[in-house]
Short mmCIF file of all heavy atoms in Angstrom, two decimals:
data_model
loop_
_atom_site.label_atom_id
_atom_site.label_comp_id
_atom_site.label_asym_id
_atom_site.label_seq_id
_atom_site.Cartn_x
_atom_site.Cartn_y
_atom_site.Cartn_z
N ILE A 16 -3.37 10.98 27.30
CA ILE A 16 -2.50 9.85 26.92
C ILE A 16 -1.57 9.51 28.08
O ILE A 16 -0.78 10.36 28.51
CB ILE A 16 -1.66 10.18 25.67
CG1 ILE A 16 -2.59 10.58 24.51
CG2 ILE A 16 -0.79 8.98 25.27
CD1 ILE A 16 -1.86 11.02 23.24
N ALA A 17 -1.66 8.29 28.56
CA ALA A 17 -0.77 7.82 29.64
C ALA A 17 0.25 6.89 29.03
O ALA A 17 -0.10 5.80 28.56
CB ALA A 17 -1.58 7.12 30.72
N GLY A 18 1.52 7.28 29.05
CA GLY A 18 2.59 6.52 28.41
C GLY A 18 3.05 7.27 27.17
O GLY A 18 2.24 7.55 26.28
N LEU A 19 4.33 7.64 27.16
CA LEU A 19 4.84 8.48 26.06
C LEU A 19 6.07 7.85 25.43
O LEU A 19 6.98 8.53 24.99
CB LEU A 19 5.17 9.89 26.62
CG LEU A 19 3.96 10.61 27.21
CD1 LEU A 19 4.39 11.77 28.10
CD2 LEU A 19 3.03 11.09 26.10
N GLY A 20 6.08 6.51 25.41
CA GLY A 20 7.21 5.78 24.83
C GLY A 20 6.99 5.55 23.35
O GLY A 20 6.47 6.42 22.64
N THR A 21 7.33 4.36 22.87
CA THR A 21 7.22 4.06 21.44
C THR A 21 5.79 4.33 20.94
O THR A 21 5.59 5.09 19.99
CB THR A 21 7.58 2.57 21.20
OG1 THR A 21 8.89 2.34 21.71
CG2 THR A 21 7.53 2.22 19.73
N VAL A 22 4.80 3.73 21.59
CA VAL A 22 3.42 3.83 21.09
C VAL A 22 2.83 5.21 21.40
O VAL A 22 2.26 5.87 20.52
CB VAL A 22 2.53 2.70 21.66
CG1 VAL A 22 1.14 2.77 21.05
CG2 VAL A 22 3.15 1.33 21.40
N GLY A 23 2.98 5.66 22.66
CA GLY A 23 2.44 6.96 23.06
C GLY A 23 3.00 8.08 22.19
O GLY A 23 2.25 8.96 21.71
N GLY A 24 4.31 8.03 21.95
CA GLY A 24 4.95 9.05 21.10
C GLY A 24 4.35 9.04 19.70
O GLY A 24 4.10 10.10 19.11
N SER A 51 0.71 11.85 30.41
CA SER A 51 1.39 11.40 31.63
C SER A 51 2.51 10.44 31.25
O SER A 51 2.34 9.60 30.38
CB SER A 51 0.38 10.70 32.55
OG SER A 51 1.05 10.17 33.67
N GLY A 52 3.64 10.62 31.89
CA GLY A 52 4.78 9.71 31.71
C GLY A 52 5.45 9.53 33.07
O GLY A 52 5.06 10.19 34.05
N ARG A 53 6.43 8.65 33.09
CA ARG A 53 7.12 8.44 34.37
C ARG A 53 7.94 9.68 34.74
O ARG A 53 7.97 10.09 35.88
CB ARG A 53 8.02 7.21 34.22
CG ARG A 53 8.26 6.46 35.47
CD ARG A 53 8.93 5.14 35.22
NE ARG A 53 9.34 4.94 33.85
CZ ARG A 53 9.51 3.74 33.29
NH1 ARG A 53 9.25 2.66 34.00
NH2 ARG A 53 9.92 3.62 32.05
N SER A 54 8.60 10.24 33.72
CA SER A 54 9.49 11.36 34.00
C SER A 54 9.12 12.57 33.15
O SER A 54 9.08 12.50 31.92
CB SER A 54 10.94 10.95 33.71
OG SER A 54 11.72 12.08 33.45
N ARG A 55 8.86 13.71 33.82
CA ARG A 55 8.47 14.92 33.09
C ARG A 55 9.68 15.54 32.40
O ARG A 55 9.54 16.22 31.38
CB ARG A 55 7.85 15.91 34.08
CG ARG A 55 7.25 17.06 33.36
CD ARG A 55 6.43 17.98 34.20
NE ARG A 55 5.69 18.89 33.32
CZ ARG A 55 4.82 19.77 33.75
NH1 ARG A 55 4.53 19.85 35.02
NH2 ARG A 55 4.20 20.56 32.90
N THR A 56 10.87 15.30 32.99
CA THR A 56 12.06 15.99 32.46
C THR A 56 12.77 15.20 31.36
O THR A 56 13.72 15.69 30.77
CB THR A 56 13.06 16.24 33.62
OG1 THR A 56 13.29 14.99 34.27
CG2 THR A 56 12.53 17.27 34.60
N LYS A 57 12.34 13.96 31.13
CA LYS A 57 12.98 13.14 30.09
C LYS A 57 12.94 13.86 28.73
O LYS A 57 11.91 14.44 28.38
CB LYS A 57 12.22 11.81 30.01
CG LYS A 57 12.84 10.77 29.12
CD LYS A 57 12.09 9.45 29.34
CE LYS A 57 12.52 8.38 28.40
NZ LYS A 57 11.85 7.10 28.72
N ARG A 59 12.33 14.17 25.03
CA ARG A 59 11.47 13.41 24.10
C ARG A 59 11.47 14.11 22.74
O ARG A 59 11.65 15.31 22.68
CB ARG A 59 10.04 13.31 24.63
CG ARG A 59 9.95 12.66 26.00
CD ARG A 59 8.51 12.58 26.50
NE ARG A 59 8.49 12.34 27.95
CZ ARG A 59 8.52 11.15 28.49
NH1 ARG A 59 8.54 10.08 27.74
NH2 ARG A 59 8.51 11.02 29.81
N TRP A 68 0.17 18.22 32.23
CA TRP A 68 1.00 17.07 32.61
C TRP A 68 0.49 16.46 33.92
O TRP A 68 0.18 17.19 34.87
CB TRP A 68 2.46 17.49 32.79
CG TRP A 68 3.32 16.35 33.25
CD1 TRP A 68 3.52 15.98 34.56
CD2 TRP A 68 4.02 15.41 32.46
NE1 TRP A 68 4.32 14.85 34.62
CE2 TRP A 68 4.65 14.50 33.33
CE3 TRP A 68 4.20 15.25 31.08
CZ2 TRP A 68 5.43 13.43 32.88
CZ3 TRP A 68 4.99 14.20 30.64
CH2 TRP A 68 5.60 13.30 31.54
N PHE A 69 0.41 15.14 33.95
CA PHE A 69 0.05 14.42 35.19
C PHE A 69 1.22 13.52 35.59
O PHE A 69 1.64 12.67 34.79
CB PHE A 69 -1.18 13.54 34.97
CG PHE A 69 -2.48 14.27 34.97
CD1 PHE A 69 -2.98 14.83 33.81
CD2 PHE A 69 -3.22 14.41 36.15
CE1 PHE A 69 -4.19 15.51 33.80
CE2 PHE A 69 -4.44 15.08 36.14
CZ PHE A 69 -4.92 15.63 34.97
N ASN A 70 1.71 13.70 36.80
CA ASN A 70 2.71 12.75 37.31
C ASN A 70 2.05 11.41 37.58
O ASN A 70 2.64 10.36 37.36
CB ASN A 70 3.34 13.26 38.61
CG ASN A 70 4.38 14.32 38.33
OD1 ASN A 70 5.09 14.25 37.32
ND2 ASN A 70 4.44 15.32 39.19
N ASP A 71 0.80 11.49 38.06
CA ASP A 71 0.05 10.27 38.38
C ASP A 71 -1.01 10.03 37.30
O ASP A 71 -1.99 10.78 37.23
CB ASP A 71 -0.60 10.44 39.75
CG ASP A 71 -1.50 9.26 40.10
OD1 ASP A 71 -1.44 8.23 39.37
OD2 ASP A 71 -2.25 9.36 41.08
N PRO A 72 -0.83 8.98 36.47
CA PRO A 72 -1.81 8.79 35.39
C PRO A 72 -3.21 8.51 35.90
O PRO A 72 -4.21 8.84 35.24
CB PRO A 72 -1.25 7.59 34.62
CG PRO A 72 -0.25 6.94 35.49
CD PRO A 72 0.24 7.97 36.45
N VAL A 73 -3.31 7.92 37.09
CA VAL A 73 -4.64 7.59 37.62
C VAL A 73 -5.42 8.88 37.92
O VAL A 73 -6.64 8.93 37.72
CB VAL A 73 -4.54 6.66 38.87
CG1 VAL A 73 -5.92 6.31 39.40
CG2 VAL A 73 -3.77 5.38 38.51
N GLU A 86 -4.37 4.31 27.25
CA GLU A 86 -3.39 3.66 28.15
C GLU A 86 -2.34 2.96 27.30
O GLU A 86 -2.62 1.94 26.66
CB GLU A 86 -4.11 2.66 29.07
CG GLU A 86 -3.20 2.01 30.09
CD GLU A 86 -2.38 0.85 29.52
OE1 GLU A 86 -2.96 -0.08 28.93
OE2 GLU A 86 -1.14 0.91 29.66
N VAL A 87 -1.12 3.51 27.29
CA VAL A 87 -0.01 2.87 26.57
C VAL A 87 1.23 2.85 27.47
O VAL A 87 2.31 3.25 27.07
CB VAL A 87 0.25 3.54 25.19
CG1 VAL A 87 -0.74 3.04 24.16
CG2 VAL A 87 0.21 5.06 25.24
N ILE A 88 0.98 2.42 28.70
CA ILE A 88 2.07 2.26 29.68
C ILE A 88 2.56 0.81 29.62
O ILE A 88 3.75 0.53 29.49
CB ILE A 88 1.58 2.61 31.11
CG1 ILE A 88 1.27 4.10 31.23
CG2 ILE A 88 2.62 2.18 32.16
CD1 ILE A 88 0.67 4.51 32.55
N GLY A 89 1.62 -0.11 29.71
CA GLY A 89 1.95 -1.54 29.63
C GLY A 89 1.92 -2.23 30.97
O GLY A 89 1.88 -1.59 32.03
N GLY A 90 1.88 -3.57 30.91
CA GLY A 90 1.85 -4.38 32.13
C GLY A 90 0.45 -4.89 32.42
O GLY A 90 -0.54 -4.18 32.24
N ALA A 91 0.38 -6.16 32.87
CA ALA A 91 -0.93 -6.79 33.11
C ALA A 91 -1.62 -6.23 34.35
O ALA A 91 -2.84 -6.34 34.50
CB ALA A 91 -0.76 -8.30 33.25
N VAL A 94 -0.08 0.07 37.59
CA VAL A 94 -0.71 1.36 37.32
C VAL A 94 -1.60 1.31 36.07
O VAL A 94 -2.64 1.98 36.02
CB VAL A 94 0.38 2.48 37.23
CG1 VAL A 94 1.25 2.31 36.01
CG2 VAL A 94 -0.23 3.85 37.24
N ALA A 95 -1.24 0.49 35.08
CA ALA A 95 -2.04 0.41 33.85
C ALA A 95 -3.45 -0.10 34.18
O ALA A 95 -4.45 0.46 33.72
CB ALA A 95 -1.37 -0.51 32.84
N LEU A 98 -5.40 2.47 36.22
CA LEU A 98 -5.81 3.59 35.36
C LEU A 98 -7.05 3.21 34.54
O LEU A 98 -8.03 3.96 34.49
CB LEU A 98 -4.64 3.94 34.43
CG LEU A 98 -4.94 4.90 33.27
CD1 LEU A 98 -5.37 6.26 33.79
CD2 LEU A 98 -3.72 5.05 32.37
N THR A 111 -6.55 1.15 24.49
CA THR A 111 -5.29 0.61 25.01
C THR A 111 -4.60 -0.26 23.96
O THR A 111 -5.27 -0.82 23.08
CB THR A 111 -5.53 -0.19 26.31
OG1 THR A 111 -4.27 -0.67 26.79
CG2 THR A 111 -6.45 -1.37 26.13
N ALA A 112 -3.28 -0.39 24.11
CA ALA A 112 -2.51 -1.31 23.25
C ALA A 112 -2.02 -2.49 24.08
O ALA A 112 -1.19 -3.27 23.64
CB ALA A 112 -1.31 -0.57 22.65
N ASN A 113 -2.57 -2.60 25.28
CA ASN A 113 -2.01 -3.49 26.31
C ASN A 113 -2.63 -4.90 26.25
O ASN A 113 -3.65 -5.17 26.88
CB ASN A 113 -2.27 -2.82 27.67
CG ASN A 113 -1.52 -3.48 28.79
OD1 ASN A 113 -1.16 -4.65 28.71
ND2 ASN A 113 -1.30 -2.72 29.85
N LYS A 114 -1.97 -5.80 25.51
CA LYS A 114 -2.52 -7.17 25.37
C LYS A 114 -2.42 -7.97 26.65
O LYS A 114 -3.24 -8.85 26.92
CB LYS A 114 -1.84 -7.92 24.22
CG LYS A 114 -0.32 -7.88 24.20
CD LYS A 114 0.16 -6.75 23.35
CE LYS A 114 1.58 -6.35 23.65
NZ LYS A 114 2.42 -6.15 22.49
N ALA A 115 -1.37 -7.70 27.45
CA ALA A 115 -1.22 -8.43 28.72
C ALA A 115 -2.43 -8.13 29.61
O ALA A 115 -3.05 -9.04 30.19
CB ALA A 115 0.07 -8.02 29.41
N LEU A 116 -2.81 -6.87 29.68
CA LEU A 116 -3.96 -6.45 30.49
C LEU A 116 -5.25 -7.07 29.96
O LEU A 116 -6.06 -7.61 30.73
CB LEU A 116 -4.04 -4.92 30.47
CG LEU A 116 -5.20 -4.30 31.22
CD1 LEU A 116 -5.02 -4.44 32.73
CD2 LEU A 116 -5.36 -2.82 30.87
N ALA A 139 -5.05 -1.98 18.92
CA ALA A 139 -3.58 -1.98 18.83
C ALA A 139 -2.94 -3.13 19.60
O ALA A 139 -1.74 -3.35 19.47
CB ALA A 139 -3.05 -0.66 19.37
N SER A 140 -3.74 -3.86 20.37
CA SER A 140 -3.13 -4.88 21.24
C SER A 140 -2.72 -6.13 20.46
O SER A 140 -1.90 -6.90 20.94
CB SER A 140 -4.09 -5.24 22.38
OG SER A 140 -5.21 -5.93 21.88
N VAL A 141 -3.30 -6.37 19.30
CA VAL A 141 -2.98 -7.59 18.54
C VAL A 141 -2.55 -7.24 17.11
O VAL A 141 -3.27 -6.55 16.38
CB VAL A 141 -4.19 -8.55 18.47
CG1 VAL A 141 -3.82 -9.82 17.71
CG2 VAL A 141 -4.69 -8.90 19.86
N ALA A 142 -1.36 -7.71 16.74
CA ALA A 142 -0.89 -7.63 15.35
C ALA A 142 -0.73 -6.20 14.81
O ALA A 142 -0.91 -5.97 13.61
CB ALA A 142 -1.79 -8.46 14.43
N GLY A 143 -0.37 -5.28 15.68
CA GLY A 143 0.00 -3.91 15.27
C GLY A 143 -0.96 -3.30 14.28
O GLY A 143 -2.11 -3.02 14.60
N THR A 170 8.72 -9.12 16.91
CA THR A 170 10.10 -9.31 17.38
C THR A 170 10.59 -10.71 17.02
O THR A 170 11.69 -10.87 16.48
CB THR A 170 10.16 -9.10 18.92
OG1 THR A 170 9.65 -7.79 19.19
CG2 THR A 170 11.56 -9.24 19.47
N LYS A 195 14.60 -0.88 17.41
CA LYS A 195 13.55 -0.46 16.47
C LYS A 195 12.20 -0.27 17.17
O LYS A 195 11.21 0.06 16.53
CB LYS A 195 13.40 -1.50 15.36
CG LYS A 195 14.56 -1.46 14.34
CD LYS A 195 14.40 -2.60 13.33
CE LYS A 195 15.55 -2.67 12.36
NZ LYS A 195 15.47 -1.70 11.27
N GLY A 196 12.15 -0.53 18.48
CA GLY A 196 10.90 -0.32 19.24
C GLY A 196 9.92 -1.47 19.10
O GLY A 196 8.74 -1.33 19.42
N TYR A 197 10.38 -2.66 18.63
CA TYR A 197 9.46 -3.78 18.43
C TYR A 197 9.23 -4.57 19.73
O TYR A 197 8.14 -5.10 19.95
CB TYR A 197 10.02 -4.78 17.40
CG TYR A 197 10.30 -4.24 16.03
CD1 TYR A 197 11.19 -4.88 15.17
CD2 TYR A 197 9.65 -3.09 15.57
CE1 TYR A 197 11.46 -4.39 13.89
CE2 TYR A 197 9.92 -2.59 14.29
CZ TYR A 197 10.82 -3.25 13.47
OH TYR A 197 11.08 -2.78 12.21
N ALA A 198 10.28 -4.70 20.52
CA ALA A 198 10.22 -5.63 21.66
C ALA A 198 9.46 -5.04 22.84
O ALA A 198 9.30 -3.82 22.97
CB ALA A 198 11.64 -5.99 22.07
N GLU A 199 8.99 -5.92 23.70
CA GLU A 199 8.35 -5.51 24.95
C GLU A 199 9.42 -4.95 25.90
O GLU A 199 10.62 -5.22 25.74
CB GLU A 199 7.67 -6.71 25.62
CG GLU A 199 6.51 -7.26 24.83
CD GLU A 199 5.43 -6.22 24.56
OE1 GLU A 199 4.85 -5.69 25.51
OE2 GLU A 199 5.17 -5.93 23.38
N ALA A 200 8.97 -4.21 26.93
CA ALA A 200 9.91 -3.66 27.92
C ALA A 200 10.78 -4.80 28.47
O ALA A 200 11.98 -4.65 28.67
CB ALA A 200 9.14 -2.96 29.03
N ASP A 210 3.90 -13.03 24.87
CA ASP A 210 3.21 -11.96 24.14
C ASP A 210 2.26 -12.56 23.08
O ASP A 210 1.12 -12.13 22.94
CB ASP A 210 4.25 -11.04 23.48
CG ASP A 210 3.60 -9.93 22.70
OD1 ASP A 210 3.10 -8.98 23.32
OD2 ASP A 210 3.57 -10.02 21.44
N HIS A 213 -0.78 -13.86 24.86
CA HIS A 213 -1.76 -12.81 25.19
C HIS A 213 -2.64 -12.53 23.97
O HIS A 213 -3.86 -12.39 24.07
CB HIS A 213 -1.04 -11.52 25.60
CG HIS A 213 -0.32 -11.62 26.91
ND1 HIS A 213 0.83 -10.92 27.19
CD2 HIS A 213 -0.59 -12.35 28.03
CE1 HIS A 213 1.23 -11.21 28.42
NE2 HIS A 213 0.39 -12.08 28.94
N LYS A 214 -1.98 -12.45 22.80
CA LYS A 214 -2.72 -12.06 21.59
C LYS A 214 -3.67 -13.16 21.14
O LYS A 214 -4.82 -12.88 20.77
CB LYS A 214 -1.72 -11.70 20.48
CG LYS A 214 -0.93 -10.42 20.82
CD LYS A 214 0.26 -10.26 19.90
CE LYS A 214 1.01 -8.96 20.19
NZ LYS A 214 2.32 -8.90 19.53
N VAL A 290 9.41 -7.97 10.48
CA VAL A 290 8.51 -7.56 11.57
C VAL A 290 7.03 -7.81 11.19
O VAL A 290 6.13 -7.59 12.00
CB VAL A 290 8.75 -6.08 11.93
CG1 VAL A 290 8.24 -5.16 10.82
CG2 VAL A 290 8.14 -5.72 13.27
N GLY A 310 3.62 -5.86 12.42
CA GLY A 310 3.03 -6.28 13.70
C GLY A 310 3.53 -5.53 14.90
O GLY A 310 3.03 -5.74 16.01
N ALA A 311 4.51 -4.67 14.75
CA ALA A 311 5.05 -3.97 15.92
C ALA A 311 5.70 -2.68 15.46
O ALA A 311 5.91 -2.46 14.26
CB ALA A 311 6.07 -4.86 16.63
N GLY A 312 6.01 -1.84 16.44
CA GLY A 312 6.69 -0.59 16.15
C GLY A 312 5.74 0.59 16.27
O GLY A 312 4.52 0.44 16.33
N GLU A 313 6.33 1.76 16.31
CA GLU A 313 5.57 2.98 16.59
C GLU A 313 4.41 3.23 15.63
O GLU A 313 3.26 3.37 16.06
CB GLU A 313 6.55 4.18 16.55
CG GLU A 313 5.86 5.50 16.74
CD GLU A 313 6.79 6.69 16.60
OE1 GLU A 313 7.89 6.64 17.16
OE2 GLU A 313 6.38 7.68 15.96
N GLY A 314 4.71 3.30 14.33
CA GLY A 314 3.70 3.72 13.35
C GLY A 314 2.47 2.80 13.32
O GLY A 314 1.34 3.27 13.52
N PRO A 315 2.66 1.50 13.06
CA PRO A 315 1.49 0.61 12.95
C PRO A 315 0.65 0.56 14.22
O PRO A 315 -0.58 0.52 14.16
CB PRO A 315 2.12 -0.77 12.66
CG PRO A 315 3.48 -0.48 12.16
CD PRO A 315 3.92 0.80 12.78
N THR A 316 1.32 0.58 15.37
CA THR A 316 0.58 0.44 16.63
C THR A 316 -0.19 1.72 16.94
O THR A 316 -1.38 1.69 17.28
CB THR A 316 1.55 0.09 17.78
OG1 THR A 316 2.44 -0.92 17.33
CG2 THR A 316 0.81 -0.38 19.01
N ALA A 317 0.48 2.86 16.76
CA ALA A 317 -0.19 4.13 17.02
C ALA A 317 -1.35 4.32 16.03
O ALA A 317 -2.41 4.85 16.40
CB ALA A 317 0.82 5.27 16.89
N VAL A 320 -4.39 2.64 17.39
CA VAL A 320 -5.02 3.37 18.51
C VAL A 320 -5.84 4.54 17.96
O VAL A 320 -6.99 4.76 18.37
CB VAL A 320 -3.95 3.89 19.52
CG1 VAL A 320 -4.62 4.75 20.59
CG2 VAL A 320 -3.18 2.74 20.16
P1 NDP B 501 7.60 1.98 26.24
O1 NDP B 501 8.41 1.30 27.27
O2 NDP B 501 8.28 2.52 25.05
O3 NDP B 501 6.78 3.18 26.92
C1 NDP B 501 6.15 3.06 28.15
C2 NDP B 501 5.74 4.45 28.60
O4 NDP B 501 5.03 4.33 29.83
C3 NDP B 501 6.92 5.39 28.87
O5 NDP B 501 6.67 6.65 28.28
C4 NDP B 501 6.96 5.52 30.39
O6 NDP B 501 7.36 6.79 30.86
C5 NDP B 501 5.49 5.32 30.72
N1 NDP B 501 5.29 4.88 32.09
C6 NDP B 501 5.81 3.81 32.72
N2 NDP B 501 5.39 3.75 33.99
C7 NDP B 501 4.60 4.83 34.16
C8 NDP B 501 3.87 5.35 35.26
N3 NDP B 501 3.87 4.75 36.44
N4 NDP B 501 3.16 6.48 35.08
C9 NDP B 501 3.15 7.12 33.88
N5 NDP B 501 3.81 6.67 32.80
C10 NDP B 501 4.53 5.55 32.95
O7 NDP B 501 6.46 0.96 25.82
P2 NDP B 501 5.70 0.84 24.43
O8 NDP B 501 5.25 2.15 23.97
O9 NDP B 501 6.51 -0.02 23.51
O10 NDP B 501 4.45 -0.08 24.85
C11 NDP B 501 3.34 0.46 25.52
C12 NDP B 501 2.19 -0.55 25.48
O11 NDP B 501 1.87 -0.84 24.13
C13 NDP B 501 2.52 -1.90 26.13
O12 NDP B 501 1.34 -2.42 26.69
C14 NDP B 501 2.94 -2.77 24.95
O13 NDP B 501 2.74 -4.14 25.18
C15 NDP B 501 1.98 -2.25 23.90
N6 NDP B 501 2.37 -2.45 22.51
C16 NDP B 501 3.61 -2.09 22.08
C17 NDP B 501 3.97 -2.27 20.77
C18 NDP B 501 5.31 -1.90 20.24
O14 NDP B 501 5.58 -2.23 19.07
N7 NDP B 501 6.17 -1.24 21.01
C19 NDP B 501 3.01 -2.85 19.80
C20 NDP B 501 1.72 -3.20 20.38
C21 NDP B 501 1.43 -2.99 21.67
P3 NDP B 501 8.83 7.43 30.59
O15 NDP B 501 8.88 7.67 29.10
O16 NDP B 501 8.85 8.67 31.36
O17 NDP B 501 9.81 6.39 31.01
#
Side-chain angles (χ1 to χ4, degrees):
I16 304 176
L19 300 163
T21 303
V22 184
S51 175
R53 208 169 8 204
S54 157
R55 189 170 191 176
T56 53
K57 187 170 174 176
R59 302 180 197 272
W68 177 273
F69 282 87
N70 282 325
D71 175 10
V73 181
E86 184 280 306
V87 280
I88 292 175
V94 68
L98 169 63
T111 181
N113 191 336
K114 49 267 161 134
L116 178 71
S140 68
V141 182
T170 303
K195 286 175 184 281
Y197 301 158
E199 294 302 299
D210 179 75
H213 291 149
K214 293 167 177 168
V290 71
E313 176 184 316
T316 315
V320 175

